[in-house]
Amino acid sequence: EDQVTQSPEALRLQEGESSSLNCSYTVSGLRGLFWYRQDPGKGPEFLFTLYSAGEEKEKERLKATLTKKESFLHITAPKPEDSATYLCAVSPSNDYKLSFGAGTTVTVRA
Amino acid sequence: DARVTQTPRHKVTEMGQEVTMRCQPILGHNTVFWYRQTMMQGLELLAYFRNRAPLDDSGMPKDRFSAEMPDATLATLKIQPSEPRDSAVYFCASVPSTGATSETQYFGPGTRLLVL
């Protein structure tokens, strides 16, 4: 069974204080690892897809990296608007299914 | 800006009542997913369809839940009878119809259900 574990559960940062979120996973043949952002009262919003170990993707202050067992989401010099819950999900090969982690709730204080 | 839409956004009902949630996928998307999100369990896949045919509904309690896709622009999730433990946010997501398994799922805003 596919499993995704995210840590920490919650992260409180000062504006400008860079940090990383971890997503460790076990899956039967990785099709893709997905990062989503979710704001309170809204649906998950797609950020990145990573397909193979060593791959990296960036968007504004966010950078996602992937190894064979885990992924990191690095937040560089965060701003209050980066406050959200960040969800990691994996999809096994030849299937559309996503298995989600519990998420990391990030709070950035001005 | 194409988006997945869901109705109703909020629903309060009493135990035993039927609940119907609707989803309109992004035009041209042929794969539709239903998820449930709770504080305890997080996001769980309930069922999904491709080209309106059910592919997997193993995550769904079959005795009370049913999911259908009457046409390419509408997916429905019904609960009958509803129970307090069904209280959750229900999300619909859709995927483009390119056929590539690498496609991203795009989520709707969710239906927040409270069963009293």
Side-chain angles (χ1 to χ4, degrees):
Chain A
E1 185 178 322
D2 304 335
Q3 289 194 332
V4 180
T5 303
Q6 293 188 246
S7 62
E9 290 184 12
L11 190 60
R12 293 176 63 86
L13 301 172
Q14 198 68 34
E15 184 172 4
E17 178 188 1
S18 302
S19 189
S20 295
L21 285 56
N22 177 263
C23 169
S24 61
Y25 65 91
T26 55
V27 64
S28 53
L30 182 69
R31 169 175 76 84
L33 184 141
F34 299 78
W35 282 99
Y36 284 83
R37 168 192 171 128
Q38 187 173 24
D39 293 301
K42 296 190 175 181
E45 176 187 344
F46 171 73
L47 292 174
F48 304 109
T49 310
L50 301 168
Y51 297 105
S52 57
E55 189 174 1
E56 299 182 351
K57 288 194 176 173
E58 289 188 65
K59 179 180 180 181
E60 296 182 354
R61 294 174 294 281
L62 301 177
K63 179 180 177 180
T65 61
L66 181 66
T67 71
K68 288 186 177 180
K69 294 185 177 181
E70 58 190 350
S71 176
F72 292 93
L73 184 66
H74 307 280
I75 309 179
T76 302
K79 298 182 177 181
E81 52 262 42
D82 295 322
S83 297
T85 295
Y86 291 87
L87 298 166
C88 173
V90 296
S91 186
S93 56
N94 65 51
D95 199 337
Y96 288 95
K97 290 184 184 182
L98 287 181
S99 297
F100 280 87
T104 295
T105 300
V106 175
T107 304
V108 183
R109 297 164 291 175
Chain B
D1 186 22
R3 298 185 182 190
V4 175
T5 57
Q6 292 186 245
T7 58
R9 294 294 314 279
H10 302 274
K11 177 72 176 180
V12 180
T13 190
E14 292 188 349
M15 182 172 62
Q17 296 298 306
E18 177 177 303
V19 176
T20 298
M21 291 168 271
R22 294 176 175 82
C23 167
Q24 183 173 3
I26 295 172
L27 189 63
H29 286 199
N30 72 336
T31 305
V32 175
F33 298 79
W34 283 105
Y35 290 89
R36 175 171 63 185
Q37 187 174 40
T38 62
M39 289 293 294
M40 292 297 295
Q41 300 296 328
L43 262 171
E44 302 174 283
L45 177 66
L46 296 175
Y48 71 102
F49 294 78
R50 188 174 187 191
N51 294 324
R52 299 174 55 198
L55 288 188
D56 190 333
D57 61 1
S58 59
M60 202 164 65
K62 306 249 187 343
D63 56 338
R64 298 183 300 108
F65 284 59
S66 62
E68 296 180 342
M69 224 174 145
D71 60 62
T73 64
L74 176 66
T76 62
L77 180 66
K78 291 186 180 181
I79 308 175
Q80 169 62 23
S82 58
E83 298 180 1
R85 59 179 168 155
D86 300 329
S87 298
V89 183
Y90 291 81
F91 288 104
C92 172
S94 69
V95 176
S97 56
T98 63
T101 56
S102 60
E103 293 293 348
T104 298
Q105 295 185 24
Y106 294 90
F107 282 77
T111 294
R112 186 173 296 273
L113 174 65
L114 177 61
V115 183
L116 301 174

